[in-house]
């Protein structure tokens, strides 16, 4: 089956620290991979995505590279800000079966302290 | 564009009452998803429509839950009767197309409805 595993949070960092949130996946096919972010009291927003192996998605200083050999899509940012405090969800989209439904990880809460 | 619109934003009701959540997808989008988010189970897909037709309702927890999409611009999720374990945040999301790789694969989420059943 299809599944996504994220590192458990919460993750607490100081401003300007380096961020890594690990994400690994299991998929029967060849999925696309996503990171969504949820700010307090809001819905999920797409942060970045990658649709094939070795693609790098990037946005707002965040990056993630689609690694097929390790089935991973780790999220990184070189210098976090207080405004990055949110919950981050890794997700995959497979293209068989149920016509492309997103499978989400459980989310990782990030708190950035000034 | 106003994005996905959900109403109400907050709903507090008593056990046994009927609850109706509403969603207006982004204009032109033809796929609509209902999700439920709880601390224990995370984000769960309840049901997915394509062109107003339910495609996958395997996530609907039980017969107390029903969802409809009478037209391309409106969907409802109904719980009757409601129970305390239904307390959660319910999200609606929409997407254009069929989720083709790299083109129409992004879902856009509404702000959610926080449901509390006492």
């Amino acid at each position: 089956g299809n599944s996504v595993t994220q590192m458990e949070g919460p993750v607490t960092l100081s401003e300007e620290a380096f961020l890594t949130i690990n994400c690994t996946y299991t998929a029967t096919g060849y999925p696309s991979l996503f990171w969504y972010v949820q700010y307090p009291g809001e819905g999920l927003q797409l942060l970045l995505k990658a649709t094939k192996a070795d693609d790098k998605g990037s946005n707002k200083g965040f990056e993630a590279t689609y690694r097929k050999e390790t089935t991973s899509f780790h999220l990184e940012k070189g210098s976090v800000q207080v405004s990055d405090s949110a919950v981050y969800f890794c997700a995959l989209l497979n293209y068989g079966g149920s016509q492309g439904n997103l499978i989400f990880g459980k989310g990782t809460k990030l708190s950035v302290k000034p | 564009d106003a994005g996905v619109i959900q109403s109400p934003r907050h709903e507090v009701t008593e056990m046994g009452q009927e609850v109706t959540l509403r969603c207006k997808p982004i204009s032109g989008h033809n796929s609509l998803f209902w999700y439920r988010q709880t601390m224990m189970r995370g984000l769960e897909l309840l049901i997915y429509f394509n062109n107003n037709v339910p495609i996958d309702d395997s996530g609907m927890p039980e017969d107390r839950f029903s969802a409809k999409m009478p037209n391309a611009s409106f969907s409802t999720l109904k719980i009757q009767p409601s129970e305390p374990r239904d307390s959660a945040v319910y999200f609606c999301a929409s997407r254009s197309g069929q989720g083709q790789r790299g083109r129409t694969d992004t879902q856009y989420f509404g702000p959610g409805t926080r449901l509390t059943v006492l």
Side-chain angles (χ1 to χ4, degrees):
Chain A
N2 301 311
S3 66
V4 175
T5 302
Q6 290 181 235
M7 62 186 288
E8 290 195 19
V11 174
T12 302
L13 296 174
S14 297
E15 208 165 20
E16 300 184 2
F18 184 85
L19 168 71
T20 300
I21 300 178
N22 290 337
C23 171
T24 57
Y25 68 90
T26 302
T28 53
Y30 184 12
S32 290
L33 301 173
F34 302 79
W35 277 101
Y36 277 80
V37 58
Q38 184 179 26
Y39 298 103
E42 299 184 11
L44 280 72
Q45 304 173 23
L46 178 68
L47 180 59
L48 52 84
K49 68 180 183 183
T51 59
K52 60 183 187 296
D54 300 325
D55 265 3
K56 178 186 283 187
S58 60
N59 186 25
K60 298 182 182 179
F62 291 89
E63 293 183 339
T65 301
Y66 188 166
R67 300 286 188 201
K68 196 163 185 286
E69 64 276 12
T70 54
T71 61
S72 65
F73 193 54
H74 304 322
L75 182 68
E76 296 183 336
K77 186 174 186 183
S79 176
V80 294
Q81 305 300 311
V82 173
S83 57
D84 294 326
S85 298
V87 181
Y88 292 81
F89 293 88
C90 185
L92 71 81
L93 176 62
N94 220 338
Y95 293 89
S98 299
Q99 300 184 35
N101 296 333
L102 282 171
I103 307 297
F104 284 94
K106 291 194 178 298
T108 303
K109 183 175 182 179
L110 170 67
S111 295
V112 181
K113 306 298 184 187
Chain B
D1 197 317
V4 176
I5 298 172
Q6 291 187 246
S7 64
R9 293 293 310 275
H10 302 273
E11 176 81 31
V12 180
T13 191
E14 292 190 346
M15 183 173 62
Q17 296 299 304
E18 178 180 295
V19 175
T20 299
L21 311 182
R22 297 173 176 81
C23 175
K24 176 177 169 55
I26 292 172
S27 177
H29 283 190
N30 61 348
S31 297
L32 184 139
F33 304 80
W34 282 101
Y35 292 90
R36 179 173 66 178
Q37 185 180 40
T38 61
M39 289 293 292
M40 291 296 294
R41 293 187 298 272
L43 202 61
E44 305 171 278
L45 177 67
L46 299 178
I47 188 169
Y48 153 48
F49 292 87
N50 187 50
N51 291 324
N52 313 336
V53 176
I55 301 300
D56 181 359
D57 64 354
S58 59
M60 295 286 265
E62 48 199 271
D63 291 346
R64 297 185 298 106
F65 285 69
S66 62
K68 294 182 180 180
M69 192 164 186
N71 57 62
S73 59
F74 184 64
S75 177
T76 59
L77 178 67
K78 186 175 293 186
I79 308 172
Q80 166 62 14
S82 58
E83 297 182 3
R85 61 191 167 122
D86 302 329
S87 298
V89 180
Y90 291 81
F91 289 104
C92 176
S94 70
R95 181 185 73 193
S96 68
Q98 302 282 334
Q100 292 93 338
R101 189 185 299 271
R103 287 166 44 210
T104 62
D105 52 11
T106 298
Q107 292 185 22
Y108 296 85
F109 283 74
T113 295
R114 181 174 295 277
L115 173 64
T116 302
V117 183
L118 303 174

